[in-house]
Amino acid sequence: MSENPEDQVLRVQITAAEAARGTTVKIHVPNPAGARELTIRIPAATPNNALLRLAGQGPNGTDIYVRVVIATSTQKQAPVPRQSVPAWFPIGFVAAIVVAIIVFTQSHDNNRPSSVASSSTSTSTTSSYTPSTSYSPYSYSYTPSSTTTTYSTPTSESEQVEAAPEDSVGVGGCLQNNGTATSPKMEPATCKSGTFKVLARKTGTTFGSIACNGVARTTHDYTVEKYTVYYRNGIETSRIPNISESYVLCLRQL
């Protein structure tokens, strides 16, 4: 992995539970045309401050890096303030109801028909009451608005352990160094003088010299570091080292 200034590394924060079981988060990748939203997968058992490489997701197809920070249990959410009812609310509410009842009663008493009887004659006069207010039925029409439903393309996510040429060489097979002594590049080869014969394979470790201690006739050790690669719609989004799939080959030069 090439060196990266820390100010060029994007940071995401997840909880300890999310780190344990794995999760997906959204990040905003800087871009000359504007920030681009990208959803990445955080694999299970990711350690604190792990650095993920997003291959080809940066500007002009460059790689970008994401630092995963696991929040501690002491970071608590601020309590949500309770909604209190004003002290005057119950009294004001009751008073409003009493006033409404009084106004309603007086309004009906003023509109009630009255009868007037003459005290000097036996003929009585009766007034008739005709409501002055006419009512018309309320009608409305409803026109449904047209709506368009759009469907987004489903997102496909997958992961797999990256393969290596050395995977096909078992104990007794041979490898040939097509690199240098300081930067070896081992590839399967026919056993002959100058090649390296595999004496043992130590899985689940990247400590070469320690892993090959006790393997008789070992002259060299070679570490094959494996990665779990994550894909989104067929495009690689990130990769992290997979120690359980990595291994050390204990070799003897022929």
Side-chain angles (χ1 to χ4, degrees):
M1 183 180 296
S2 60
E3 295 185 357
N4 259 337
E6 194 63 26
D7 58 358
Q8 296 180 4
V9 177
L10 302 178
R11 293 169 62 89
V12 295
Q13 181 171 303
I14 61 176
T15 65
E18 291 172 331
R21 68 173 181 269
T23 185
T24 56
V25 296
K26 291 185 178 181
I27 62 173
H28 292 84
V29 179
N31 192 288
R36 179 168 62 93
E37 185 179 88
L38 182 66
T39 301
I40 65 172
R41 177 180 177 82
I42 308 297
T46 295
N48 188 31
N49 287 325
L51 190 64
L52 305 183
R53 178 168 70 92
L54 308 184
Q57 298 301 314
N60 300 322
T62 58
D63 295 349
I64 58 176
Y65 297 84
V66 176
R67 177 78 66 187
V68 180
V69 178
I70 300 177
T72 61
S73 58
T74 56
Q75 296 174 337
K76 297 181 179 178
Q77 266 190 326
V80 179
R82 296 180 58 188
Q83 300 293 332
S84 59
V85 178
W88 50 263
F89 177 79
I91 298 176
F93 182 75
V94 174
I97 294 177
V98 173
V99 171
I101 294 175
I102 295 174
V103 172
F104 179 82
T105 303
Q106 291 179 347
S107 173
H108 280 67
D109 287 341
N110 291 338
N111 291 329
R112 186 177 299 170
S114 59
S115 60
V116 180
S118 174
S119 59
S120 57
T121 63
S122 59
T123 303
S124 61
T125 303
T126 303
S127 63
S128 61
Y129 169 74
T130 303
S132 59
T133 304
S134 59
Y135 300 93
S136 60
Y138 174 75
S139 62
Y140 68 95
S141 61
Y142 169 74
T143 302
S145 59
S146 60
T147 58
T148 302
T149 304
T150 58
Y151 299 91
S152 59
T153 303
T155 300
S156 173
E157 295 185 352
S158 61
E159 63 181 77
Q160 66 180 32
V161 178
E162 186 179 42
E166 300 86 351
D167 294 347
S168 62
V169 180
V171 175
C174 290
L175 296 169
Q176 178 175 304
N177 184 10
N178 292 327
T180 64
T182 56
S183 299
K185 183 180 179 182
M186 294 293 191
E187 294 183 356
T190 302
C191 293
K192 61 183 179 179
S193 177
T195 61
F196 297 84
K197 186 173 184 178
V198 179
L199 302 180
R201 180 192 294 262
K202 303 293 184 177
T203 305
T205 179
T206 56
F207 297 104
S209 58
I210 297 176
C212 290
N213 283 344
V215 179
R217 306 178 67 187
T218 297
T219 60
H220 296 77
D221 56 78
Y222 182 68
T223 301
V224 180
E225 185 174 4
K226 307 300 286 292
Y227 289 84
T228 299
V229 185
Y230 296 88
Y231 298 91
R232 182 180 179 87
N233 292 335
I235 300 175
E236 179 182 334
T237 58
S238 63
R239 60 173 58 204
I240 64 170
N242 189 326
I243 301 300
S244 63
E245 296 290 337
S246 300
Y247 56 87
V248 173
L249 296 177
C250 304
L251 308 173
R252 178 172 64 88
Q253 188 171 16
L254 301 178

